[in-house]
Amino acid sequence: MDGTPRDLTLRLHQSIHDIPAAEWNLLAGTGNPFVRHEFLAAMEDSGSVGGRSGWYPYHAALRDAAGRLAAAAPAYAKAHSYGEYVFDHAWANALERAGGRYYPKLQIASPFSPVPGPRMLLSPGLDMASLADALKIGARQLKCSSVHATFCTEAEWHALGKAGWLQRMGVQYHWHNRDYADFDAFLAALASRKRKAIRRERRDAQAGLEIRPLRGSEMGRREWAAFHQFYLSTVDRKWGGAYLTESFFSLLGQRLGDAVVVMMAFRAGKPIAGALNLLGDEALYGRNWGATEDIPFLHFELCYYQAIEFAISLGLKRVEAGAQGQHKIQRGYLPSRTFSAHYLFHPGLNAAVADFLDAERPAIADEMAMLGEQSPYRAEP
């Protein structure tokens, strides 16, 4: 499919394999593994997207006159709004009640990954408007109602806002490394009561278990099979959908190697719980977790405390522990803004959503301020 914003040619690819990995990764960089070619390929090759998933790849590639990849975006035609973590069901319902059709929509995202990071992959010197315009052309050709860039960077959010996209904010909880020498140094920065509570939680969670981080190269068939069972146990408890197939996890380990970090708990040598993380240049990103035993505080130990210890050991700047979870604040993870941008072709829906977002943004700011008051850290002298 072709369009020519600013003398560039747009093509939408129905497989990430249609775009050479070296070209894609040159734009994606190494900072955030969720937009790398290997991650997106594991999604496709495992059947986690495509098929009957409702996520249909249409990755955007803008090439210049010499055929060089000038810009790209991980893009999916969506038949529903599941697996995104930025909720627009009310927008879909409103348009359909008015006699319109919301699906398909074009989603610029890393599937099933509420992880902030780049979504608009640009070569140096190319302005955001070129790719933003191309994505609108592509969405029109696919007969989509809208384009949504979810969990984009703040810089992308501002640029897309200037290009006429609607701007939305959300809240996650991230841990920031203040150059701690070790976990005890982190604890020393907390109020005494919080410090004691975390020590108690760790003691109870670790009792009778061996817990260690395993890199992708250390994860064998047994460990990945166990982790898939952990993932399914969490899905079952939350009455959710098992979006990710069993082969996705092992493919991820094979293709991203030691950028995959699994905090694994063993009882008498048998894996009984695990938390999957991906490693970027500056951050550890927590994703999926599960357990076959119900052990108090083990979730906090594997997903939060082990992640902090690992981040400190590598000198990482932060840990991003995924969506939701106000309980993370008391464990050192403070509220951080997330960003998404939306372009809706229907004028009436666009106006209604714009009004909603104009009211939602200050409410998010107020929520951030309120949550910030719950910080467990000791006041600076």
Side-chain angles (χ1 to χ4, degrees), residues 312-328:
I312 291 173
S313 74
L314 292 187
L316 300 176
K317 292 184 178 180
R318 63 190 183 279
V319 176
E320 300 187 14
Q324 305 172 345
Q326 192 170 328
H327 60 276
K328 295 172 185 172

Side-chain angles (χ1 to χ4, degrees), residues 282-355:
E282 297 185 344
L284 185 69
Y285 302 96
R287 278 305 302 119
N288 308 102
W289 113 282
T292 53
E293 294 185 22
D294 187 10
I295 299 173
F297 309 120
L298 186 57
H299 171 254
F300 302 151
E301 173 65 23
L302 294 185
C303 296
Y304 308 151
Y305 305 141
Q306 288 287 327
I308 288 173
E309 281 197 327
F310 188 85
I312 291 173
S313 74
L314 292 187
L316 300 176
K317 292 184 178 180
R318 63 190 183 279
V319 176
E320 300 187 14
Q324 305 172 345
Q326 192 170 328
H327 60 276
K328 295 172 185 172
I329 295 176
Q330 302 311 310
R331 292 161 179 92
Y333 291 72
L334 297 182
S336 299
R337 293 185 301 168
T338 62
F339 304 94
S340 63
H342 312 265
Y343 196 93
L344 311 174
F345 292 120
H346 189 283
L349 180 63
N350 185 77
V353 171
D355 289 343

Side-chain angles (χ1 to χ4, degrees), residues 1 6 24 71 93 138-139 161 190 192 220-221 254 271 288 312 341 353:
M1 298 181 180
R6 304 193 181 187
W24 181 277
N93 292 338
L190 304 180
S192 174
R221 183 177 300 176
Q254 293 167 22
N288 308 102
I312 291 173
V353 171

Side-chain angles (χ1 to χ4, degrees), residues 173-315:
Y173 303 91
H174 301 164
W175 176 85
H176 294 272
N177 190 353
R178 303 177 182 177
D179 296 323
Y180 300 115
D182 52 28
F183 194 86
D184 283 340
F186 155 64
L187 287 181
L190 304 180
S192 174
R193 185 167 58 88
K194 305 301 183 186
R195 186 163 59 244
K196 291 176 181 177
I198 289 175
R199 285 187 173 134
R200 188 166 51 248
E201 289 180 357
R202 300 203 74 185
R203 180 197 65 211
D204 292 350
Q206 294 176 4
L209 301 180
E210 177 193 2
I211 298 174
R212 63 179 188 267
L214 299 178
R215 308 297 284 268
S217 60
E218 301 172 291
M219 292 285 291
R221 183 177 300 176
R222 179 187 77 135
E223 287 78 18
W224 281 125
F227 186 81
H228 184 246
Q229 291 306 308
F230 304 154
Y231 168 69
L232 292 179
S233 71
T234 298
V235 169
D236 289 343
R237 281 199 297 273
K238 293 186 175 181
W239 298 92
Y243 300 127
L244 302 173
T245 65
E246 183 172 2
S247 63
F248 168 74
F249 298 108
S250 58
L251 284 174
L252 199 63
Q254 293 167 22
R255 295 178 182 180
L256 284 176
D258 284 354
V260 173
V261 184
V262 180
M263 309 305 180
M264 190 80 83
F266 299 84
R267 185 184 298 282
K270 178 184 177 182
I272 58 98
L276 173 67
N277 304 265
L278 293 186
L279 179 63
D281 286 349
E282 297 185 344
L284 185 69
Y285 302 96
R287 278 305 302 119
N288 308 102
W289 113 282
T292 53
E293 294 185 22
D294 187 10
I295 299 173
F297 309 120
L298 186 57
H299 171 254
F300 302 151
E301 173 65 23
L302 294 185
C303 296
Y304 308 151
Y305 305 141
Q306 288 287 327
I308 288 173
E309 281 197 327
F310 188 85
I312 291 173
S313 74
L314 292 187

